[in-house]
Amino acid sequence: MTNYRRQIDDAWECLGMGETEHAVVLARAILNHRPEVIDAYVVLAAATEVPAEAIALLKEAVCVAAAFEKGECSQAVAYDLHAHVRALGNLARLLWEAARPGNREEALRHARRALRLDPNDRAGTRLLLMGWEASAGNWPAARRIARRYRDEYR
């Protein structure tokens, strides 16, 4: 396991134990050396209490992930699909909750992308997305999600 991955794991553990300041220090230290570590942005977003700041951090994480997909990032850091999906899902939730003009459409785009990247839906995005699609009046999309995952218990 590479050093930055260990630090990310430690940062998540710190967040879980309520040691937010330590998690922030770890995430910022990672970004100082490896700004392409997607999960460091996700940790910082989880640590902040300011929704606009969390949204900005998650958008940066999504931009970094897009750079990976285009082959624009160094080979020193591996693309982390799960961190990308986490960033998309968390960004979608925050945008949906902010309920500003255009945010809900953007939230739907990010949630749809997360589900496309992780069709097994380890993050449970489908549950939110199904409700959001219905809320937006897109009943056919909500039904497609329900049919696709009808055998899933969660």
Side-chain angles (χ1 to χ4, degrees), residues 41 51-61 91:
Y41 296 98
E53 184 180 348
I55 287 170
L57 288 162
L58 292 167
K59 284 184 176 186
E60 185 63 28
L91 178 56

Side-chain angles (χ1 to χ4, degrees), residues 7-140:
Q7 286 178 301
I8 282 294
D9 290 344
D10 290 347
W12 280 116
E13 188 174 323
C14 287
L15 278 178
M17 295 186 317
E19 297 174 9
T20 305
E21 290 178 19
H22 190 65
V24 167
V25 168
L26 288 170
R28 291 211 183 279
I30 293 166
L31 290 175
N32 283 337
H33 297 286
R34 302 254 186 242
E36 62 275 16
V37 177
I38 299 166
D39 231 7
Y41 296 98
V42 181
V43 167
L44 291 174
T48 186
E49 294 179 12
V50 181
E53 184 180 348
I55 287 170
L57 288 162
L58 292 167
K59 284 184 176 186
E60 185 63 28
V62 170
C63 285
V64 170
F68 267 108
E69 291 177 323
K70 294 176 185 174
E72 298 172 354
C73 286
S74 81
Q75 299 296 322
V77 174
Y79 169 71
D80 186 344
L81 173 67
H82 299 298
H84 187 181
V85 169
R86 228 182 337 272
L88 287 166
N90 291 349
L91 178 56
R93 283 182 199 90
L94 286 171
L95 289 169
W96 189 267
E97 291 168 4
R100 292 195 178 108
N103 277 7
R104 293 218 162 158
E105 292 82 15
E106 187 178 354
L108 285 167
R109 282 195 310 274
H110 291 305
R112 289 172 187 146
R113 176 94 172 113
L115 199 53
R116 276 195 309 274
L117 287 172
D118 181 20
N120 293 329
D121 194 28
R122 294 173 20 145
T125 304
R126 71 182 178 281
L127 301 172
L128 291 175
L129 185 56
M130 191 172 9
W132 293 350
E133 293 285 15
S135 177
N138 193 354
W139 289 99

